[in-house]
Every structure is written in C-alpha cells, then in structure tokens.
Amino acid sequence: MEKAEAERKVEESVEEDDQVVNPWQVSAKDGGKIDYDKLIDKFGCQRLQQSLVDRVQRLTSRPPHVFLRRGVFFAHRDFEEILNVYERGEKFYLYTGRGPSSEALHLGHLVPFMFTKYLQDAFKVPLVIQLTDDEKCMWKNLSVEECQRLARENAKDIIACGFDISKTFIFSDFDYVGGAFYKNMVKVAKCVTYNKVVGIFGFTGEDHIGKVSFPPVQAVPSFPSSFPHLFSGKDDLRCLIPCAIDQDPYFRMTRDVAPRLGYHKPALIESSFFPAMQGETGKMSASDPNSAIYVTDSAKDIKNKINKYAFSGGQDSIEKHRLYGANLEVDIPIKYLNFFLDDDAELEHITKEYGAGRMLTGEVKQRLIQVLTEIVERHRRARAAVTDEMVDAFMAVRPLPNMFD
C-alpha cells in the first residue's frame, strides 16, 4: 500500500472498539494494555527498525540514546528522510511541545524532552518548543491567566533538561501566535474540512468550537516560515518531531496539508506511553499523586511510592518466587528500569535474575529507587538554577545566529 494511501485510510474516528488513543485520551477496553502493533497499523506510521538506530549511531558518532536502544521510541514517519538530509550535509530542525496543565511534571512528561535534548546534541540542530497554554485553557477548567502561569513554570522544568539556549526557542501560544505563524494557521484551516477534523480527532457536537479550531495551532510549528526570526529564507527546511504516539493525529492532518502549501511533510519519531505505577492498565493522573513519580518528589516520597505502589510481577511468597520467578510482562519496576537505567549489562542481569527468581522484588525496587532518586535530585538542582530571566531569554523572539554550528 502506498504511504499516502496508508495515511488516508485512518481518517475515520480515532476511537476503536478496543482502544482509544488521541491527544486527550488513552485507554484500552476493560483496562487492558495498548496494542502498539494495532496502533501502528491504524495510524499508518512505521515501526522503527534497528537499521535506523544503527544508522543514527554511525551518522552521529555517539551511542544511541537509551530510549532508542530499548524501543521506547518505536515508531516513525519519514525518519529515514531526516537521516538522508543529514547525511547529505543539509539541515533540519526539531519541534516538540508541552501542554501546561499542571505545575509539577512527572517522569513521563520528561521522556520526550530528555530524548529531544539528545537529538539536539547529537545532530547539532535548532529546536522550537511549543507551550500550548491555549489548548489547556480550552480542554481544562483553567483560566487564561493560570495557563500562562503554568506555561512559565513548565518552561523552567524544560530548560532544566539542559537545552542549548543558542539553538532553542521556547514559545507559548498566547504570547507568540500572530504574524507569519497565524498566516500559516489560516492556510492550514482552509485545507481541512469539518468532517475531516471530526474524523481525525473524534470531536462531537457537544465540543465547543475552540477545540475544533485548535489543530492548526499545533500543526504550523512544523513549517519553518512560522518562525521568520529563525528561518527566514529557509522554507525548504525539514522538521523532525519527537513526541508520544498519542500526538500523531495532529501530524497526520499536517502531513496531508503540507504539500498543498508548498512545505515538506514533517517527520516524526514517536514513543510508547510511560506506564502508571499501578501497572500498564493504570493511568497516571494529577488527581492521584501515587500514580507517578514527580520531579518535586523527595527521596522519601520516591522510596515510599515505589515500595508501596509500584506493581510487582513477583510471586506472592518467596518460595513460589524462587520456583517460578517474576512475571516481567507486568512488572512496573522492570519497566521503569528499562526507561531509566542506562547500563545495558546491568539491566540484562537484573532482568535475567529476577525472571528466574534468584532476585527478589524488594531488591529490584531498591535499585529502581536509587536510579529515580538520582534523576529527580539532579533535575531538582538544575531547575532551582533556572531564573525568570533565563525563561525570558529562552522565550525571547530573537535570531539564533549559531543555531547550525
């Protein structure tokens, strides 16, 4: 099947009988696990093959990020085209974002930013980060002013990930939308029918018109002309978007429209979902602080949450555990270590010993507590150093003269 046809075949509702995956809801029937193979087939993207991971290592002369090695980022659209561009000595830019609906981020929120920092460092390319404060105002019971405040607070956590200020522009929609950006929004909006947007996003007659009008806002940062202060005269520049796969509907729409407007289709590299503490069938929720590890959690908080709430695949007695071993398919400590324990050999050892029953759940949780405490403490120190003046500097509309150096 041709790629264009594959992308068009998904334009019925995002909702399926057995799972719903869209930018605002992720759930499987009867609390089951998300079937990523089925999601790839329905969305029309491609699984990220090992050959592309190997090519990244060859082109950048650095080890692939743990999220690439472990398949956390598992799907893509035209990622090989981005690598072709880079190999020819041409340039591209990165685009990712955050919907600021909470003051404290959890570790799942950090995943795309940790990976985007790696991409920026490895390929030495500029980055635009969109804070969709307008989206959260329309989808959440939050005022404009509160969403603007949360955007700046979230920007501090993003900056704390270590992005290069000489190559990074962070913007909030409430502050930046206008001019060339708004012109591109209108062009996109004219290309997408009401039926099309309902088919992609599943909007209903009960949704207010702000929701229906929002998708072009998230689409146009993938067009370089939306940032004339950065990319003037570079309308042919390619864009790569690292994101979770629930954001794919926005960019299916964008990729359909882009050629009609004279732009390249944005490329995507997409991650799986970070599981809740209670298991992959659980859901991380701001109303349940025990469903996730937050960057504001103390070492004591992390220890208590992991020991009390991290769902274990271990057996219900030491004797049975020694005999049968752990069920690694459902074990959250192992899944979290797969995300955040960088040492491949150590992870392989823990997985083998725990699966065979020679390592106990308590031992695995203890190692996870050490790993997550170090990450959170490091992030907390970095965030404490981020001043309001630094936020202003990252969000200033300014040229980035060394963005491709």
Side-chain angles (χ1 to χ4, degrees), residues 3 7 44-56 58-59 68 74-90 92 123 238-241 255 265-270:
K3 189 180 297 183
E7 290 181 5
C45 49
Q46 296 173 285
R47 186 165 284 279
L48 190 70
Q49 300 296 332
Q50 183 62 41
S51 59
L52 286 177
V53 178
D54 295 340
R55 192 176 175 201
V56 169
R58 178 174 62 83
L59 290 175
L68 275 181
F74 73 102
H76 75 100
R77 293 180 183 274
D78 288 348
F79 184 51
E80 73 276 13
E81 291 298 322
I82 293 294
L83 298 184
N84 291 343
V85 163
Y86 184 77
E87 192 162 24
R88 291 196 299 265
E90 300 171 16
F92 68 93
F123 290 98
R238 296 294 297 256
C239 176
L240 173 63
I241 305 168
R255 285 168 58 85
K265 295 181 178 183
L268 286 88
I269 184 165
E270 301 176 314

Side-chain angles (χ1 to χ4, degrees), residues 57-70:
Q57 180 168 3
R58 178 174 62 83
L59 290 175
T60 63
S61 301
R62 64 171 65 198
H65 194 277
V66 63
F67 295 160
L68 275 181
R69 301 198 308 268
R70 307 262 174 82

Side-chain angles (χ1 to χ4, degrees), residues 194-213:
Y194 175 74
N195 285 342
K196 182 94 166 179
V197 81
V198 167
I200 296 172
F201 297 99
F203 295 135
T204 72
E206 301 304 310
D207 286 310
H208 59 69
I209 60 174
K211 293 182 179 181
V212 179
S213 66

Side-chain angles (χ1 to χ4, degrees), residues 48-248:
L48 190 70
Q49 300 296 332
Q50 183 62 41
S51 59
L52 286 177
V53 178
D54 295 340
R55 192 176 175 201
V56 169
Q57 180 168 3
R58 178 174 62 83
L59 290 175
T60 63
S61 301
R62 64 171 65 198
H65 194 277
V66 63
F67 295 160
L68 275 181
R69 301 198 308 268
R70 307 262 174 82
V72 172
F73 279 79
F74 73 102
H76 75 100
R77 293 180 183 274
D78 288 348
F79 184 51
E80 73 276 13
E81 291 298 322
I82 293 294
L83 298 184
N84 291 343
V85 163
Y86 184 77
E87 192 162 24
R88 291 196 299 265
E90 300 171 16
K91 308 300 183 183
F92 68 93
Y93 73 100
L94 297 164
Y95 155 41
T96 194
R98 159 77 185 148
S101 60
S102 62
E103 190 159 315
L105 305 188
H106 58 61
L107 289 179
H109 292 142
L110 288 186
V111 166
F113 293 110
M114 294 168 74
F115 186 63
T116 301
K117 173 181 163 43
Y118 155 78
L119 291 173
Q120 183 181 61
D121 292 346
F123 290 98
K124 299 179 175 59
V125 290
L127 162 68
V128 295
I129 300 176
Q130 181 181 40
L131 300 174
T132 55
D133 42 9
D134 53 343
E135 177 195 23
K136 292 308 173 183
C137 181
M138 288 188 283
W139 263 268
K140 303 282 187 178
N141 186 26
L142 296 170
S143 68
V144 169
E145 292 74 21
E146 178 64 0
C147 289
Q148 289 180 295
R149 186 186 73 82
L150 292 175
R152 285 187 65 88
E153 289 302 308
N154 285 190
K156 293 177 182 178
D157 277 309
I158 292 168
I159 292 167
C161 292
F163 292 108
D164 183 347
I165 192 170
S166 72
K167 292 180 168 64
T168 305
F169 174 51
I170 302 174
F171 67 98
S172 83
D173 289 342
F174 278 135
D175 289 338
Y176 186 72
V177 171
F181 194 98
Y182 184 66
K183 289 178 185 177
N184 278 338
M185 283 171 49
V186 171
K187 291 176 183 178
V188 170
K190 288 180 68 176
C191 290
V192 183
T193 65
Y194 175 74
N195 285 342
K196 182 94 166 179
V197 81
V198 167
I200 296 172
F201 297 99
F203 295 135
T204 72
E206 301 304 310
D207 286 310
H208 59 69
I209 60 174
K211 293 182 179 181
V212 179
S213 66
F214 175 75
V217 186
Q218 190 156 322
V220 301
S222 54
F223 302 155
S225 65
S226 296
F227 305 100
H229 67 286
L230 299 178
F231 306 130
S232 180
K234 296 183 173 68
D235 287 0
D236 205 39
L237 202 61
R238 296 294 297 256
C239 176
L240 173 63
I241 305 168
C243 62
I245 198 167
D246 61 332
Q247 300 298 301
D248 189 87

Side-chain angles (χ1 to χ4, degrees), residues 366-385:
Q366 179 57 37
R367 183 65 181 112
L368 177 62
I369 289 166
Q370 293 171 350
V371 170
L372 297 189
T373 299
E374 180 181 332
I375 290 171
V376 171
E377 288 294 336
R378 185 168 62 242
H379 182 85
R380 191 186 352 257
R381 288 194 299 271
R383 191 191 192 282

Side-chain angles (χ1 to χ4, degrees), residues 254-299:
T254 309
R255 285 168 58 85
D256 183 59
V257 168
R260 287 185 269 169
L261 301 180
Y263 297 116
H264 291 296
K265 295 181 178 183
L268 286 88
I269 184 165
E270 301 176 314
S271 73
S272 57
F273 304 118
F274 190 71
M277 295 275 285
Q278 288 80 359
E280 283 194 291
T281 59
K283 186 175 187 298
M284 284 182 281
S285 170
S287 62
D288 180 8
N290 296 317
S291 68
I293 302 295
Y294 287 82
V295 296
T296 51
D297 284 343
S298 67

